[in-house]
């Protein structure tokens, strides 16, 4: 199946850019990847899965940057390279630190822009999207409006950010409560989301073979952010995909259990087209992607919309 995209541009990537972050315990490290040409470039802030870092997810980041986006990645406190101890007082609140990391990036766009040679004056700050995978999807979901339910089932604090105009949730966990295993319910109380307040336009991507050890349900658990959210406009279900969705976390990574370059290529193009449409840049690419999937003799997935 062929999905046409614009010709790739050369990309410049700068890391680490250190953002002062009082109260975090250490500065926030970010990486910026951007096309060397073009102006009024839309922005993607990306939140990695548990244990990863600003060096992860190159298959997606490289593609987005080569096709017109400025991508900003952070290293969250749960990154393996930081080695945060379980007894560290920040550990129980990592989910909140993650959300604050993403907001801090948006607060520091002037510093970030000035730190990348040739990027000054080329950002379109009115077109910002957030994308996250797994734990990063939970982080991004909060920025899009999702909330954590308290012990009484009431939605907690609103941590959404109006600067973010669209989102993509990749392999993002679903409801809590009885849908969690006893281990998950005990150790991850923040995994009890309410998607009712998620109103930002969002694409949800789920694998139909993604069986989580944190849930008592099957792969359909990862479709909850779509079915339970008024803002999630579209769902891409990937046939045969497990949690790394074919290998999005890196070109050569051990955790990829369902390696599929074709599946990764589809995710690259679908997410690119969706964000261009959601940010008001181009609606023809999104229509073309949908048509290509519908007309494919052997589709790798399907898109459904509300």
């Amino acid at each position: 199946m062929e999905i046409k995209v614009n010709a790739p541009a050369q990309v410049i990537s700068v890391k680490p850019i250190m953002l002062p972050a009082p109260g975090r315990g250490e500065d926030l490290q970010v990486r910026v990847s951007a096309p060397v040409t073009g102006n009024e470039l839309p922005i993607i802030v990306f939140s990695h899965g548990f244990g990863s870092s600003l060096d992860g997810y190159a298959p997606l980041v490289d593609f987005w940057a080569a096709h017109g986006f400025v991508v900003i990645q952070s290293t969250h406190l749960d990154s393996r390279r930081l080695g945060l101890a379980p007894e560290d007082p920040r550990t129980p609140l990592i989910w909140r630190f993650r959300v604050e990391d993403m907001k801090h990036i948006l607060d520091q766009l002037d510093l970030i822009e000035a730190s990348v040679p040739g990027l000054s004056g080329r950002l379109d700050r009115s077109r910002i999207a957030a994308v996250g995978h797994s734990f990063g999807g939970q982080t991004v979901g909060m920025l899009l409006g999702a909330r954590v339910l308290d012990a009484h089932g009431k939605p907690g604090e609103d941590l959404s950010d109006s600067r973010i105009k669209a989102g993509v949730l990749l392999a993002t966990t679903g409801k809590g409560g009885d849908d969690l295993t006893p281990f998950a319910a005990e150790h991850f109380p923040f995994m009890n989301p309410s998607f009712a307040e998620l109103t930002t336009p969002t694409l949800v991507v789920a694998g139909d073979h993604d069986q989580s050890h944190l849930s008592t349900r099957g792969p359909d658990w990862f479709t909850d952010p779509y079915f339970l959210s008024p803002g999630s406009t579209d769902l891409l279900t990937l046939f045969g995909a497990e949690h790394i969705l074919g290998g999005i976390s890196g070109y050569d990574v051990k955790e990829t259990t369902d390696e599929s370059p074709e599946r990764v290529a589809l995710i690259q193009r679908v997410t690119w087209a969706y964000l261009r449409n959601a940010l008001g840049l181009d609606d023809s690419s999104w229509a073309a992607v949908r048509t290509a999937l519908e007309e494919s003799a052997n589709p790798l997935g399907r898109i459904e919309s509300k």
Side-chain angles (χ1 to χ4, degrees):
M1 182 181 64
E2 182 179 355
I3 298 175
K4 295 182 179 179
V5 298
N6 61 312
Q10 289 183 317
V11 172
I12 184 173
S13 185
V14 176
K15 67 159 190 178
I17 299 170
M18 308 300 291
L19 303 182
R24 188 177 185 266
E26 56 188 279
D27 291 345
L28 176 62
Q29 300 182 38
V30 302
R31 174 181 186 146
V32 178
S33 301
V36 298
T37 58
N39 294 300
E40 298 183 349
L41 300 171
I43 300 166
I44 294 174
V45 288
F46 186 88
S47 181
H48 63 70
F50 179 80
S52 188
S53 71
L54 55 74
D55 288 320
Y57 300 89
L60 296 182
V61 173
D62 290 351
F63 183 88
W64 293 329
H67 294 87
F69 284 89
V70 173
V71 186
I72 307 174
Q73 302 167 264
S74 65
T75 294
H76 296 304
L77 288 175
D78 57 273
S79 175
R80 286 184 291 269
R81 66 177 51 179
L82 296 182
L84 198 69
E87 61 272 15
D88 190 291
R90 294 170 292 177
T91 297
L93 296 174
I94 278 180
W95 67 276
R96 286 192 67 106
F97 278 107
R98 279 173 149 265
V99 176
E100 291 169 6
D101 287 349
M102 302 290 277
K103 292 187 174 188
H104 197 56
I105 287 172
L106 299 182
D107 292 341
Q108 298 294 324
L109 283 178
D110 286 345
L111 174 58
I112 292 171
E113 185 176 344
S115 301
V116 180
L119 189 59
S120 181
R122 298 172 57 215
L123 298 180
D124 184 348
R125 302 190 188 196
S126 70
R127 289 187 167 101
I128 299 175
V131 182
H133 173 245
S134 192
F135 197 3
Q138 194 264 357
T139 301
V140 168
M142 302 289 290
L143 293 164
L144 301 173
R147 302 191 191 183
V148 172
L149 297 174
D150 64 19
H152 304 288
K154 295 183 179 180
E157 183 182 355
D158 179 7
L159 299 177
S160 63
D161 196 307
S162 62
R163 292 172 291 186
I164 297 171
K165 307 303 182 185
V168 177
L169 302 180
L170 302 162
T172 299
T173 55
K175 291 193 302 179
D178 292 340
D179 291 345
L180 296 179
T181 62
F183 174 86
E186 178 183 355
H187 292 89
F188 309 119
F190 59 86
M191 291 182 64
N192 193 22
S194 169
F195 297 109
E197 298 81 16
L198 197 163
T199 57
T200 308
T202 301
L203 168 68
V204 175
V205 180
D208 68 1
H209 280 54
D210 188 356
Q211 180 60 59
S212 175
H213 66 280
L214 299 175
S215 177
T216 58
R217 286 169 52 194
D220 69 302
W221 188 47
F222 293 94
T223 66
D224 283 357
Y226 172 71
F227 288 107
L228 302 179
S229 158
S232 296
T233 57
D234 299 88
L235 169 66
L236 169 63
T237 301
L238 296 162
F239 303 150
E242 299 177 11
H243 198 58
I244 309 299
L245 305 176
I248 62 170
S249 60
Y251 291 113
D252 301 294
V253 288
K254 294 179 181 178
E255 65 259 32
T256 302
T257 57
D258 61 334
E259 185 174 4
S260 171
E262 296 80 12
R263 192 175 294 137
V264 172
L266 177 63
I267 296 170
Q268 290 170 337
R269 287 155 177 78
V270 170
T271 55
W272 172 82
Y274 178 85
L275 290 178
R276 285 185 58 82
N277 178 64
L279 294 174
L281 293 162
D282 162 35
D283 58 4
S284 62
S285 298
W286 179 236
V289 161
R290 296 174 61 92
T291 299
L293 266 181
E294 292 169 0
E295 296 180 351
S296 174
N298 297 290
L300 297 172
R302 69 174 179 272
I303 294 175
E304 53 191 290
S305 305
K306 293 176 181 175

